[in-house]
Amino acid sequence: MLIVHSNLLCATVRTLSAIAFFSVACDVSAQTSSTDTMLPPVVVTASRIEQPQIDALPHTTVITAEDIRNNPVTDLPSLLRREAGVQLTQTGGPGQLTSLFMRGAPPSEALILVDGVPVRRQGFSPLPALEHILPEQIDHIEIVRGNVSAIYGTSAIGGVIQIFTKQGSGPAAFNLSTEIGSRGTAQLTGGVSGKTGDTRYALSMTRYKTDGISANNTTQYPTENPDKNGDRNTSVSANLSQEWDRGHEIGLRAYDNDGKNSYDGGGFGAPTDANYAHSKQQSLAAFSKDRFTSNWMSTVTLSQTATRNENVNVSSSPYTIRDNGDATLLQWANEINLLTNWILNAGADLGREKLDAFSNFAGFVTENTYSRSTSSVYSGLNGKFDSHQLQLNVRYDQVGGAGSDVTGFLGYGYLITDNIKLIANASTAFLAPNLAQLYDGISKNPNLQSEKSKSLELGTQYTAGKTILRATAFRTLTKNQFGIDPNECFSGAHPASCPTFNIAKSSNKGLELSATGKIADIDSRLALTFQQPRDETSRDILIRRAHTLASLSLAKSLGAWKVGSDFQYASSRPDVDFTAPSTSNKRELSPYWLANFNTRYQINKTLSAYGRIENAFNRDYQTAYGYNQPPRGVFVGLNWQQ
């Protein structure tokens, strides 16, 4: 038996807690089977080169295709909530606006990639519409925590989440699944994938709908419409590639989701108001992957990404707010094998961004188009010698109208034994404001300065087969972090304005723990985060950030059955009531814990049935002040694969 000793885990946690200025208790014992000798996943996001997950120096975890299949959930946020260092807030149920905080960093400091292509909104939210990304189009996800701006450029201070859509391999395979459940929820997915000769292909389409819940909490915001806020979503992904010569492949990737939902207005609406949102995200990429020599692999990708976001209010004083963004990006990435165990990667990006913004809120009509060019060059070196591992990255970014900067990442790993590695990382970052933050009529601040950040990490990692346990203590200091002052929102000459401003200095320090493996033949996944994200001037904890986050997922096979459970916890968080006077608008969101249960039964080789209970104990909780979260829900489905 491979024994994951409790004293090793506890010593690790206590040592790193001291570094991060935390104190925690620990009493853990676990066993993993010696028959579990399968290797951990291979990842690419941590360094831009393929490497085993255990070799990634930035803290990296993977949500595998098996994880997604065995833990059926509604949307991408539900998949990410159990990850260490990741916190999500949502202004209501499925389809409502979702914000992502990685290591306590604001949403603008998280980078989302879909098959290597950045996806961002240029409107009021810098993230893509995470709430409309459905798991059925996803093969697997890689999550890299911490400052990797020197690897991926602006927006990668808190971390990177890379979504890989389904690819084709083997004989043609077809799949069809359907699901129904609480609150009028229904979903239908169909797809095909495979490889014929040297041609790979994959196509998947999902249609989802739910009647939802009333997003608004009528006790806190009594003037809002108490009707249900539903969601409709259609998502499609497609991949096609051809190896036209040995070592040379060309291909196309396409991704599209179209979400329509109703929502509530955050305390400023009337009981008869109706609000509707329409969000579209489209990405089309053409690539050429060429092995020119046995040591040199070159990949060129040309992509076009479009985001369309429209909010319409139907009332006695109707209005429309629309933000349409377009981004064209040319990426050239090279991987060169220098010596045994030493790899150089280098490349360049050229991009063009455009924002079309329109608003007629309260009779204030603004309609403008803004654009800018971006460019960057980067290089990275990864290698091993004896018990040592090194990662060095340097990047130069130039963003039109927002300045330029050189950033760096230095990572070092030392193997104490074959199973235990010590890790230290240091990095700098640069984040330019997006076009909406600079120019949009609602959130604009033309005097906004770019963010600068420095991060340090110390960690340790234990591995045995597929069992990976990693603890990371981190400290990040950011100058000019982007924020929103609640006291400045919805006031002044423009009643819809909520301008972005610079926080002079902010910081976060903390400890992350992630663990995957088997305990008594039970697939287990543990995540624990302690953090203190604060404004260094006021010493206030940044709004909606929890001090403690925890999750535990368990799954076990019992013949034809697979049963699982998922437990999540978040401590209290500060928030604000935007409708209250500035002298009395601070609110505290209560801590909460949730339990979810799921099961799957394999009826025969091709057909399986599954079910799940979300929020099984019907907890009443909030992730944003004034907004409800779904009560208990029961869902069942069938899946056919051939």
Side-chain angles (χ1 to χ4, degrees):
M1 302 289 287
L2 293 173
I3 308 299
V4 184
H5 292 288
S6 62
N7 58 345
L8 168 64
L9 173 57
C10 294
T12 296
V13 172
R14 290 190 181 113
T15 300
L16 293 175
S17 296
I19 293 171
F21 305 102
F22 285 93
S23 177
V24 299
C26 180
D27 183 11
V28 177
S29 63
Q31 291 184 334
T32 61
S33 171
S34 60
T35 60
D36 184 17
T37 57
M38 294 179 61
L39 295 176
V42 172
V43 299
V44 297
T45 310
S47 60
R48 285 187 177 269
I49 64 170
E50 288 189 356
Q51 58 184 167
Q53 182 186 342
I54 60 175
D55 284 349
L57 292 179
H59 191 159
T60 303
T61 55
V62 180
I63 302 175
T64 66
E66 183 181 5
D67 293 330
I68 296 172
R69 183 174 186 270
N70 291 334
N71 186 27
V73 292
T74 301
D75 51 21
L76 177 63
S78 300
L79 277 176
L80 298 176
R81 282 192 176 97
R82 58 183 186 154
E83 294 297 311
V86 175
Q87 181 182 353
L88 294 110
T89 66
Q90 200 159 18
T91 56
Q96 303 300 311
L97 181 66
T98 301
S99 296
L100 170 72
F101 303 92
M102 296 187 70
R103 284 198 177 169
S108 58
E109 294 183 6
L111 177 62
I112 309 297
L113 303 172
V114 177
D115 293 324
V117 176
V119 181
R120 306 182 181 96
R121 281 189 287 195
Q122 289 292 339
F124 59 92
S125 173
L127 287 171
L130 302 178
E131 62 273 12
H132 293 307
I133 298 177
L134 304 182
E136 285 71 23
Q137 269 62 56
I138 299 173
D139 180 76
H140 67 282
I141 304 171
E142 295 179 6
I143 300 103
V144 179
R145 296 153 187 80
N147 185 355
V148 287
S149 184
I151 306 174
Y152 289 100
T154 184
S155 297
I157 297 176
V160 175
I161 295 174
Q162 179 155 203
I163 299 165
F164 294 86
T165 58
K166 296 179 179 180
Q167 312 291 316
S169 63
F174 300 87
N175 69 85
L176 182 66
S177 64
T178 183
E179 177 183 301
I180 58 173
S182 299
R183 299 177 284 277
T185 299
Q187 180 172 286
L188 179 65
T189 297
V192 60
S193 64
K195 182 179 180 182
T196 301
D198 294 324
T199 303
R200 295 178 182 269
Y201 56 91
L203 174 66
S204 180
M205 177 181 292
T206 300
R207 176 65 177 170
Y208 169 84
K209 75 95 177 176
T210 182
D211 295 337
I213 61 172
S214 177
N216 172 68
N217 185 299
T218 55
T219 300
Q220 295 166 333
Y221 290 150
T223 64
E224 290 287 345
N225 191 332
D227 64 336
K228 292 182 179 180
N229 301 114
D231 181 40
R232 304 289 186 273
N233 189 327
T234 302
S235 292
V236 180
S237 66
N239 288 276
L240 178 66
S241 66
Q242 172 72 35
E243 187 176 12
W244 57 273
D245 196 5
R246 185 175 181 179
H248 299 272
E249 182 182 20
I250 58 173
L252 291 171
R253 302 188 186 103
Y255 177 79
D256 179 284
N257 68 48
D258 189 325
K260 297 178 180 179
N261 65 281
S262 64
Y263 65 97
D264 288 326
F268 294 93
T272 57
D273 282 4
N275 300 284
Y276 302 98
H278 186 190
S279 172
K280 288 178 65 69
Q281 298 175 142
Q282 299 171 319
S283 179
L284 178 64
F287 69 90
S288 177
K289 191 172 184 178
D290 300 282
R291 182 167 292 282
F292 290 117
T293 71
S294 60
N295 296 329
W296 175 24
M297 174 67 77
S298 170
T299 304
V300 176
T301 305
L302 177 63
S303 61
Q304 175 70 37
T305 303
T307 58
R308 303 288 183 263
N309 297 279
E310 183 176 66
N311 296 308
V312 177
N313 172 270
V314 180
S315 64
S316 58
S317 301
Y319 62 85
T320 298
I321 299 174
R322 184 169 56 247
D323 292 289
N324 294 336
D326 293 279
T328 302
L329 182 63
L330 177 63
Q331 300 167 288
W332 182 33
N334 298 273
E335 185 178 314
I336 302 170
N337 294 301
L338 299 176
L339 300 168
T340 302
N341 293 328
W342 287 91
I343 299 177
L344 174 71
N345 69 84
D349 298 341
L350 293 174
R352 183 74 177 172
E353 301 173 346
K354 187 177 77 169
L355 168 66
D356 290 322
F358 170 84
S359 172
N360 62 356
F361 183 87
F364 287 77
V365 179
T366 59
E367 185 173 9
N368 294 287
T369 299
Y370 311 97
S371 62
R372 68 182 180 190
S373 297
T374 62
S375 60
S376 61
V377 293
Y378 61 86
S379 181
L381 180 66
N382 293 263
K384 296 179 180 180
F385 60 97
D386 298 328
S387 298
H388 307 275
Q389 182 182 349
L390 182 69
Q391 179 174 336
L392 174 64
N393 297 90
V394 179
R395 183 180 178 105
Y396 170 78
D397 285 284
Q398 195 282 326
V399 181
S404 61
D405 200 10
V406 176
T407 53
F409 177 95
L410 177 61
Y412 172 73
Y414 178 73
L415 277 174
I416 299 177
T417 70
D418 289 342
N419 302 101
I420 302 173
K421 179 165 62 175
L422 297 179
I423 299 169
N425 298 324
S427 54
T428 61
F430 160 73
L431 175 60
N434 64 33
L435 290 170
Q437 291 169 328
L438 289 171
Y439 307 117
D440 180 70
I442 293 177
S443 57
K444 71 175 179 180
N445 179 357
N447 298 318
L448 205 61
Q449 299 182 50
S450 296
E451 292 184 16
K452 301 290 182 71
S453 182
K454 297 179 180 179
S455 299
L456 293 173
E457 298 179 15
L458 292 176
T460 186
Q461 178 176 276
Y462 172 84
T463 60
K466 287 187 69 176
T467 296
I468 304 176
L469 188 155
R470 178 154 174 172
T472 304
F474 61 89
R475 298 191 74 178
T476 299
L477 179 65
T478 303
K479 295 182 179 179
N480 296 323
Q481 187 177 73
F482 306 142
I484 293 175
D485 185 350
N487 301 324
E488 297 296 326
C489 290
F490 314 113
S491 62
H494 194 320
S497 66
C498 204
T500 309
F501 79 111
N502 289 119
I503 301 172
K505 187 180 291 186
S506 62
S507 68
N508 193 15
K509 58 185 178 183
L511 171 69
E512 292 170 345
L513 175 68
S514 66
T516 57
K518 283 185 179 292
I519 301 175
D521 206 32
I522 298 174
D523 294 323
S524 306
R525 191 181 189 98
L526 170 70
L528 185 62
T529 304
F530 302 100
Q531 60 179 359
Q532 293 179 354
R534 65 172 72 247
D535 182 327
E536 285 292 308
T537 302
S538 66
R539 303 302 295 169
D540 290 336
I541 297 294
L542 299 175
I543 65 170
R544 296 184 180 174
R545 274 74 144 190
H547 176 273
T548 304
L549 300 165
S551 74
L552 174 64
S553 299
L554 304 170
K556 184 175 178 61
S557 295
L558 299 167
W561 291 89
K562 183 89 172 184
V563 295
S565 59
D566 178 44
F567 305 94
Q568 301 171 16
Y569 170 79
S571 64
S572 59
R573 293 87 62 215
D575 207 345
V576 295
D577 179 353
F578 285 89
T579 67
S582 60
T583 55
S584 59
N585 63 3
K586 293 185 178 180
R587 301 290 185 267
E588 187 83 1
L589 300 179
S590 299
Y592 67 87
W593 69 273
L594 303 174
N596 308 305
F597 301 100
N598 64 79
T599 185
R600 178 181 294 274
Y601 178 70
Q602 196 69 39
I603 299 172
N604 55 41
K605 185 177 180 180
T606 60
L607 184 65
S608 63
Y610 66 89
R612 70 179 185 276
I613 304 175
E614 296 180 351
N615 192 4
F617 298 107
N618 208 31
R619 298 291 179 177
D620 184 11
Y621 70 104
Q622 292 181 307
T623 61
Y625 180 81
Y627 294 98
N628 296 319
Q629 289 297 295
R632 180 190 297 115
V634 179
F635 306 87
V636 295
L638 287 171
N639 178 261
W640 174 79
Q641 290 183 313
Q642 187 175 25

